[in-house]
Amino acid sequence: MAKQAHQPALLQRLPDRVVEVLREIGELGDERGFQVYVVGGVVRDLLLGQITLDLDVAVEGDGIAFARLVADRYGAGLAVFERFATARLILPDGLKIDIATTRRESYVKPAALPAVTPASLQDDLYRRDFTINAMAIQLNPAAFGQLHDPHGGQRDLRAKAIRVLHEESFVDDPTRIFRAIRFARRFGFSLESSTRHRLEEAAATKLIQELSGPRLCNEILLLLGERDARKTIKSLVRLKLLRFLHPRLRYTKNGERVVAVLPRALAWWKKQSPDRMVERPLIYLMALLSQAGPVVLQSVIERLRLSTRHSKAVQWAGHKTNRLLHVLKQSKNVRPAEIYRLLADVPDDAIVLLVAKGLSLRTEAGADRLTRRLSQFLKHDRRATTILKGEDLKQLGLKPGPRFKTILDRLLDARLNGNVRTESDERAFVHRMVQKPG
Ligand code: ATP
Ligand code: MG
């Protein structure tokens, strides 16, 4: 039977308001005759002395009916996922709670989503990925704060070990391969030796290939979102997992150098554009792909079924940023308008990668020229506009048409290059242009 320990102090580490909500949820559980628990990551984090407000509640009984009850009590927003017997609540003060029916899962086919049947807390903890994630704290008043740890989660937290609950765990669900690396990186833990063995075995099969694009993509981005992504990538390479992105994808020395300087490129970006957020995990993925050719990039985009935004960024990972790098690092003078035209449609994430590529060069002078030019573009030129607009051209007697855009583009170039400043400069420039044929 489960090892149990009464640890009311554990929950008290959460903010008072959250403890109050959890107490009330426990009372509602008693009213309904349900046993209710917080489970998973939040318990692990509490034991590690960390506060997560990602609350997962498990109910022995009808979780969705219970979620409706809680939503009514608080006037919370509610989204119900019948197929998974789960519901998500958002309380008026913003607190998010996921409520699920405790379940047993059976894997009919490896790597596919499991079939779910309601079951006891014991079953529910047994279907989880690692011992450290397989603990629960009861919320019903008589046992409020009681810890359920049937698989030695506390022991493994102390031992800093990631351990699966049974031998087939990675085969049932190969996303756990990535999850194991993710938690190991995040907490500085090691894989327990038999777990490591099982993970390596599963990684050597084709199981990961069976994962859908969005699931694989999600795991990879979550993984690259942990601190020190450079080491994470090393683990992926060591386990030969890049082959699931593309069989010909290689992590070259150049790629490694780009990854190594990415933290500096990100810091540079934050200083330049503090109010424009970039997606760090995405940029690490781009760095990983930075030496790949267009065919491999396209195939990775399709394999991961990337969103439009992510696809656009990843298309810039390879030779397209190399071309920009070539122009922007050169010592020869490059006119601001030319830089503007090169960079106007480049996603921010690709600019960060470009800086990393620059910093990874051995020529410091080239990197300096690159960052100086980018800085000028980001801080000034990107926002430049002409004083005259289409309306003004009409008033000058010009007929609207494709020529308008050409004229306004040239005018903007002239402004960027410092050839026009005032409105009358602009009018004179337009006059000269329309007098010239073509
Ligand atoms: P994080 O802090 O990254 O959110 P977490 O432990 O909360 O970590 P989630 O992905 O939010 O992880 O999942 C919540 C819980 O659900 C986990 O703690 C684990 O018990 C269980 N879980 C999630 N994914 C799996 C999986 N693939 N296999 C088994 N159990 C899982
Ligand atoms: Mg979580």
Side-chain angles (χ1 to χ4, degrees):
M1 204 16 226
K3 255 190 249 161
Q4 300 185 351
H6 205 68
Q7 295 206 17
L10 210 49
L11 283 177
Q12 308 295 342
R13 292 180 187 166
L14 291 167
D16 291 348
R17 158 77 182 146
V18 177
V19 179
E20 185 190 311
V21 170
L22 291 177
R23 269 190 202 286
E24 286 168 359
I25 288 179
E27 285 159 13
L28 277 176
D30 268 13
E31 279 171 32
R32 274 294 170 116
F34 291 157
Q35 302 296 309
V36 289
Y37 312 86
V38 285
V39 283
V42 67
V43 180
R44 175 200 65 216
D45 291 346
L46 277 171
L47 286 163
L48 287 170
Q50 296 170 9
I51 300 297
T52 332
L53 292 182
D54 220 356
L55 294 179
D56 282 314
V57 168
V59 180
E60 278 182 312
D62 185 342
I64 292 184
F66 186 73
R68 292 210 163 92
L69 202 71
V70 178
D72 277 352
R73 165 73 56 101
Y74 291 102
L78 176 72
V80 170
F81 311 97
E82 295 278 354
R83 184 176 172 311
F84 299 104
T86 59
R88 164 158 289 190
L89 274 73
I90 303 184
L91 269 50
D93 60 2
L95 186 64
K96 288 197 202 79
I97 309 176
D98 285 329
I99 300 186
T101 305
T102 50
R103 81 273 312 278
R104 175 183 300 134
E105 288 179 344
S106 43
Y107 290 84
V108 194
K109 194 170 150 246
L113 290 173
V116 169
T117 21
S120 66
L121 176 73
Q122 296 311 310
D123 291 318
D124 190 272
L125 294 179
Y126 186 63
R127 58 126 188 140
R128 289 174 186 267
D129 48 5
F130 311 114
T131 57
I132 60 167
N133 289 344
M135 292 181 274
I137 300 176
Q138 193 147 5
L139 300 178
N140 300 71
F144 188 77
Q146 183 171 306
L147 180 70
H148 295 254
D149 177 15
H151 303 291
Q154 294 172 95
R155 168 205 62 206
D156 286 335
L157 282 178
R158 279 192 297 270
K160 298 181 181 292
I162 307 289
R163 184 195 306 263
V164 284
L165 302 195
H166 60 84
E167 302 217 320
E168 293 304 304
S169 189
F170 292 117
V171 176
D172 282 348
D173 180 355
T175 63
R176 292 172 188 163
I177 296 173
F178 298 99
R179 292 177 63 87
I181 306 172
R182 168 148 66 99
F183 292 117
R185 279 248 53 76
R186 185 190 304 173
F187 300 121
F189 285 14
S190 306
L191 302 183
E192 168 277 327
S193 75
S194 140
T195 298
R196 172 182 304 280
H197 194 65
R198 295 294 168 192
L199 182 145
E200 285 169 357
E201 268 175 8
T205 68
K206 290 184 175 170
L207 277 167
I208 293 174
Q209 206 165 302
E210 307 295 319
L211 288 174
S212 72
R215 283 185 85 201
L216 181 57
C217 177
N218 182 46
E219 290 306 329
I220 289 177
L221 291 179
L222 284 172
L223 197 47
L224 296 176
E226 297 294 339
R227 69 193 162 115
D228 211 346
R230 183 184 181 178
K231 286 198 186 140
T232 307
I233 293 174
K234 280 243 151 85
S235 308
L236 293 177
V237 172
R238 200 170 35 74
L239 289 162
K240 302 195 171 62
L241 291 178
L242 297 191
R243 73 185 195 282
F244 294 108
L245 291 174
H246 194 284
R248 286 208 310 277
L249 180 62
R250 297 286 173 273
Y251 191 44
T252 61
K253 283 275 170 263
N254 281 343
E256 246 185 287
R257 270 200 288 275
V258 174
V259 166
V261 295
L262 207 44
R264 274 170 64 206
L266 285 159
W268 178 88
W269 176 266
K270 204 163 163 205
K271 229 168 120 195
Q272 297 290 317
S273 300
D275 44 347
R276 290 174 76 121
M277 300 289 267
V278 288
E279 232 177 287
R280 197 172 71 99
L282 173 67
I283 305 175
Y284 270 103
L285 177 62
M286 292 163 72
L288 186 57
L289 298 169
S290 64
Q291 314 302 311
V295 175
V296 170
L297 287 184
Q298 189 52 36
S299 149
V300 171
I301 288 170
E302 282 161 25
R303 170 64 183 105
L304 297 180
R305 287 218 262 125
L306 293 186
S307 65
T308 313
R309 203 189 92 69
H310 283 179
S311 308
K312 277 214 179 105
V314 167
Q315 275 156 2
W316 282 93
H319 78 284
K320 287 174 79 172
T321 33
N322 292 347
R323 222 190 82 230
L324 296 178
L325 179 62
H326 180 73
V327 177
L328 295 175
K329 71 170 198 212
Q330 67 182 332
S331 55
K332 208 179 85 198
N333 190 30
V334 191
R335 309 278 280 168
E338 188 186 338
I339 294 177
Y340 179 90
R341 298 289 162 210
L342 279 174
L343 294 175
D345 295 324
V346 181
D348 289 350
D349 307 284
I351 294 187
V352 180
L353 180 69
L354 174 60
V355 170
K357 284 188 176 181
L359 294 175
S360 76
L361 293 174
R362 294 220 171 76
T363 57
E364 234 173 74
D368 280 351
R369 285 191 291 267
L370 172 83
T371 48
R372 215 172 350 93
R373 284 168 171 149
L374 284 172
S375 222
Q376 168 72 21
F377 168 75
L378 293 170
K379 289 199 161 145
H380 305 282
D381 295 354
R382 165 138 76 181
R383 282 189 289 273
T385 51
T386 53
I387 300 172
L388 297 185
K389 308 285 177 212
E391 272 308 303
D392 302 296
L393 298 191
K394 268 197 236 164
Q395 280 175 13
L396 286 168
L398 293 170
K399 275 210 210 79
R403 187 97 205 282
F404 261 44
K405 184 168 160 23
T406 317
I407 294 175
L408 290 174
D409 281 353
R410 295 265 175 80
L411 192 53
L412 183 61
D413 288 353
R415 167 163 297 282
L416 290 165
N417 290 340
N419 299 335
V420 300
R421 286 188 194 287
T422 64
E423 184 176 334
S424 72
D425 288 349
E426 288 203 358
R427 285 182 186 281
F429 183 89
V430 172
H431 268 296
R432 280 200 302 280
M433 262 200 89
V434 295
Q435 270 153 22
K436 273 193 261 165

